[in-house]
């Protein structure tokens, strides 16, 4: 079975490669190759930036009459992506790089320019030392001074590193934490003090407001008529009630109230003189032997008028001579019970 892609050719036994005619191709012929831009460049025609790595279909040719140690140098032709202007660059085997040739400028080659400048200075120095021995001595003296300065700087850096190595970083961190904690406590104390001051000011303001309200109520209460707190329900029966604040005596110290004997006697006297006169009925006199004798009890004497009084309910009121109306009422009550 034959191969599908026919990679292996059949050569007959009588094959002679020298009999194959050679193609006559020009030496400067060009090939179309696919490549990427080897560096960043900018088109001189339109100013378009072409970054490194952009792919192009380029034409490749061999540079005539240029060799580097037997190695050929190749030239590449590409077109700008914006204005289609032709840009050319070629290989540089001496520096293992590419060299811009026509149509664009290379960007971001500061390192290369610096290297070229250093090489130029070194070349000039060697030419000066070759013809001037005094210049050689000056250059050596300058180099020695630079070397001493570099060593001194290096020694200073070593000492600085040693000092930093002896620093107790843990102690520094602990002191820093202590300072932070003290600062936090101080701020907390200040906040508490401010809060306490605010509460005290609010309390004082509230007290002042309450004092002003109580003063206002006191003024309003003084304008109203005062009512005696010692009035009793039975005081309504008295004829002469106190009409001013002076008639109401002040309560005794300690909050203990004493009985109002005078007021009660007055009320009972007034009641006995007027109201009880209509209720009390004069009884017929009884013989002295019929009255019970009680030891230690004094019977009040009742004075009657010279004229005979009718024994009806509409008799005149009885007046007490040697006792109060209350004692007279008790005497009449005892006489009813004895019957």
């Amino acid at each position: 079975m034959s191969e599908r892609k026919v990679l292996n050719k059949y050569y007959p036994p009588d094959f002679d490669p020298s009999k194959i005619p050679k193609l006559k191709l020009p030496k400067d012929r060009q090939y179309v190759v696919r490549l990427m831009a080897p560096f960043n460049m900018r088109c001189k025609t339109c100013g378009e930036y072409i970054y490194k790595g952009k792919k192009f279909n380029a034409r490749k040719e061999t540079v005539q009459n240029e060799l580097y140690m037997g190695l050929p140098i190749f030239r590449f032709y590409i077109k700008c992506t914006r204005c289609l202007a032709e840009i050319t660059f070629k290989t540089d085997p001496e520096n293992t790089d590419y060299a811009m040739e026509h149509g664009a400028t290379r960007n971001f080659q500061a390192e290369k320019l610096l290297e070229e400048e250093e090489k130029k200075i070194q070349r000039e120095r060697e030419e000066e030392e070759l013809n001037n021995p005094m210049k050689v001595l000056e250059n050596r003296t300058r180099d020695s001074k630079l070397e001493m300065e570099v060593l001194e700087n290096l020694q200073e850096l070593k000492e600085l590193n040693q000092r930093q190595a002896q620093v107790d970083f843990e102690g520094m961190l602990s002191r820093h934490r202590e300072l932070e904690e003290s600062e936090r406590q101080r701020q907390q104390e200040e906040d508490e003090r401010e809060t306490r001051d605010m509460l005290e000011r609010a309390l004082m303001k509230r007290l002042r407001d309450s004092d002003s309200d109580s003063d206002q109520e006191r003024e309003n209460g003084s304008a109203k008529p005062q009512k005696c707190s010692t009035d009793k329900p039975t005081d309504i029966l008295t004829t002469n009630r106190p009409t001013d604040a002076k008639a109401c005596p002040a309560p005794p110290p300690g909050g203990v109230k004493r009985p109002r004997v005078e007021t009660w006697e007055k009320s009972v006297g007034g009641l006995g003189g007027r109201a009880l006169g209509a209720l009390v009925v004069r009884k017929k006199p009884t013989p002295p032997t019929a009255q019970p004798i009680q030891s230690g009890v004094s019977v009040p004497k009742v004075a009657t008028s010279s004229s005979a009084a009718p024994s009806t309910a509409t008799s005149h009121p009885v007046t007490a001579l040697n006792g109060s109306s209350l004692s007279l009422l008790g005497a009449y009550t005892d006489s009813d019970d004895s019957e």
Side-chain angles (χ1 to χ4, degrees):
M1 183 176 179
S2 62
E3 295 185 10
R4 182 172 61 84
K5 293 186 178 180
V6 192
L7 299 177
N8 297 326
K9 306 294 184 181
Y10 172 74
Y11 295 99
D14 57 349
F15 176 73
D16 186 5
S18 62
K19 294 181 179 179
I20 298 175
K22 294 182 179 180
L23 294 176
K24 295 182 179 179
L25 298 176
K27 294 182 179 179
D28 57 348
R29 70 189 184 95
Q30 297 179 351
Y31 301 93
V32 178
V33 295
R34 183 77 171 175
L35 58 80
M36 293 186 295
F39 46 78
N40 297 321
M41 64 186 76
R42 184 180 181 184
C43 179
K44 290 182 178 179
T45 305
C46 64
E48 178 70 14
Y49 286 95
I50 300 173
Y51 58 90
K52 180 180 178 180
K54 189 171 180 61
K55 296 181 178 180
F56 292 93
N57 292 325
R59 290 180 289 112
K60 173 187 172 184
E61 68 177 8
T62 305
V63 180
Q64 298 298 323
N65 303 325
E66 288 189 18
L67 293 174
Y68 177 73
M69 299 178 66
L71 297 175
I73 297 176
F74 301 99
R75 181 182 289 113
F76 300 93
Y77 298 88
I78 62 174
K79 291 184 179 180
C80 177
T81 56
R82 185 176 180 182
C83 64
L84 301 179
E86 192 174 53
I87 300 172
T88 61
F89 56 91
K90 60 183 180 180
T91 58
D92 187 7
E94 182 179 0
N95 300 317
T96 62
D97 197 4
Y98 291 85
M100 177 58 64
E101 189 175 18
H102 175 72
T105 56
R106 184 171 179 175
N107 300 332
F108 310 112
Q109 53 180 354
E111 185 177 359
K112 183 178 181 181
L113 294 176
L114 182 61
E115 292 176 357
E116 291 178 356
E117 188 68 22
E118 290 179 355
K119 289 180 181 179
K120 183 179 179 180
I121 292 172
Q122 185 68 21
R123 194 181 303 110
E124 290 177 354
R125 180 178 178 179
E126 290 175 357
E127 291 177 357
E128 289 177 357
E129 292 177 354
L130 183 62
N131 300 324
N132 191 356
M134 293 298 296
K135 195 70 175 177
V136 177
L137 183 59
E138 290 178 359
N139 292 337
R140 288 179 181 177
T141 306
R142 188 183 302 108
D143 293 341
S144 63
K145 287 182 179 179
L146 290 175
E147 186 177 359
M148 292 296 294
E149 290 178 359
V150 170
L151 291 175
E152 289 177 359
N153 294 333
L154 182 60
Q155 187 66 24
E156 289 179 359
L157 290 175
K158 288 182 179 179
E159 292 177 357
L160 181 61
N161 291 334
Q162 290 178 359
R163 286 198 301 270
Q164 290 181 352
Q166 295 176 358
V167 174
D168 187 9
F169 294 101
E170 295 295 334
M172 293 176 62
L173 291 175
S174 62
R175 286 193 296 271
H176 182 66
R177 294 192 193 97
E178 290 177 359
L179 291 175
E180 287 184 349
E181 186 66 23
S182 62
E183 183 67 20
R184 189 181 301 108
Q185 291 180 359
R186 187 182 62 82
Q187 292 181 359
Q188 186 175 1
E189 290 176 358
E190 290 181 356
D191 295 341
E192 291 178 356
R193 184 167 54 255
E194 291 179 359
T195 306
R196 188 164 52 253
D197 295 341
M198 292 175 63
L199 291 175
E200 290 179 357
R201 288 196 295 269
L203 182 60
M204 293 298 295
K205 183 178 179 182
R206 187 178 300 175
L207 291 174
R208 287 195 298 270
D209 295 343
S210 61
D211 291 342
S212 61
D213 294 341
S214 61
D215 294 341
Q216 186 176 1
E217 291 178 358
R218 192 179 298 109
E219 293 176 359
N220 296 335
S222 62
K224 296 180 180 179
Q226 296 183 355
K227 182 179 180 181
C228 183
S229 61
T230 59
D231 292 346
K232 300 296 182 64
T234 56
D235 291 347
I236 193 171
L237 303 175
T238 60
T239 55
N240 297 325
R241 294 185 60 189
T243 57
D244 52 354
K246 294 180 180 180
C248 182
V256 180
K257 296 183 179 180
R258 297 179 180 177
R260 298 295 304 278
V261 180
E262 295 83 357
T263 307
W264 173 251
E265 290 179 354
K266 289 181 180 181
S267 61
V268 173
L271 181 61
R274 294 184 181 181
L276 292 180
L279 299 177
V280 177
V281 180
R282 185 176 180 184
K283 302 190 66 160
K284 295 180 179 181
T286 57
T289 57
Q291 293 180 358
I293 300 173
Q294 297 179 0
S295 63
V297 178
S298 60
V299 179
K301 298 178 181 181
V302 180
T304 57
S305 59
S306 57
S307 61
S311 58
T312 57
T314 59
S315 62
H316 295 284
V318 180
T319 58
L321 298 177
N322 297 328
S324 61
S325 302
L326 183 59
S327 60
L328 182 60
L329 181 61
Y332 279 105
T333 306
D334 291 339
S335 61
D336 293 337
D337 295 336
S338 63
E339 290 178 357

